[in-house]
Amino acid sequence: MSVRIKAVVDKFVKELKEALDADIQDRITKEREIQSYIEEREREVAEREAAWKADLARREAEIVRQEARLKIDRENLEKEKSVLLGNASNQYGALEITVSGEKYRCLRFAKAKK
């Protein structure tokens, strides 16, 4: 009888070891899958972050270019303004304005009517 009990116990232990080995293999497989998923997600996030940073750098460079263009446009506008408005001076009680090289003189001033 003890041989039969030993055989049953050995069979039970063998099946238990097989079940444990299968469970361990399942856990190892799941852990690998989870690790692979995490690595893939981290790669995706890193790629998106790199793309975002590149886009940000392009936009910042464009802003710098536009600011330089605006500065040049402002300088050109000031030059045109000085040419169009000319130089105004108040010598000897007269207002003298130079526009495009031609001088104009106003001898009398009047207040603007409201």
Side-chain angles (χ1 to χ4, degrees):
M1 177 121 144
S2 68
V3 174
R4 283 179 59 189
I5 293 173
K6 184 173 181 353
V8 169
V9 169
D10 287 345
K11 182 180 177 189
F12 175 74
V13 169
K14 181 181 174 188
E15 289 174 357
L16 185 59
K17 283 183 180 180
E18 289 173 356
L20 285 173
D21 287 343
D23 187 48
I24 290 170
Q25 289 302 321
D26 283 348
R27 288 177 187 230
I28 290 171
T29 302
K30 286 180 182 177
E31 187 176 321
R32 286 181 185 156
E33 289 173 354
I34 289 171
Q35 189 62 33
S36 175
Y37 174 77
I38 289 171
E39 290 170 358
E40 179 63 28
R41 294 292 295 149
E42 286 174 345
R43 242 188 328 274
E44 289 173 4
V45 168
E47 288 172 0
R48 277 188 272 153
E49 183 180 12
W52 179 80
K53 285 181 179 179
D55 187 46
L56 180 63
R58 280 192 300 274
R59 289 179 184 200
E60 287 174 342
E62 180 61 27
I63 289 171
V64 169
R65 282 192 296 276
Q66 288 180 0
E67 286 175 343
R69 232 181 285 138
L70 286 173
K71 183 179 177 184
I72 291 170
D73 287 348
R74 174 181 244 161
E75 290 169 357
N76 289 338
L77 181 63
E78 289 297 323
K79 287 176 188 174
E80 288 178 30
K81 184 177 165 184
S82 70
V83 168
L84 291 175
L85 293 179
N87 299 323
S89 63
N90 190 352
Q91 287 182 322
Y92 311 111
L95 180 64
E96 211 173 72
I97 300 173
T98 306
V99 177
S100 299
E102 293 192 33
K103 288 187 177 186
Y104 299 90
R105 188 173 291 147
C106 179
L107 299 174
R108 205 171 76 186
F109 297 97
K111 262 190 170 177
K113 295 182 180 176
K114 294 184 181 180

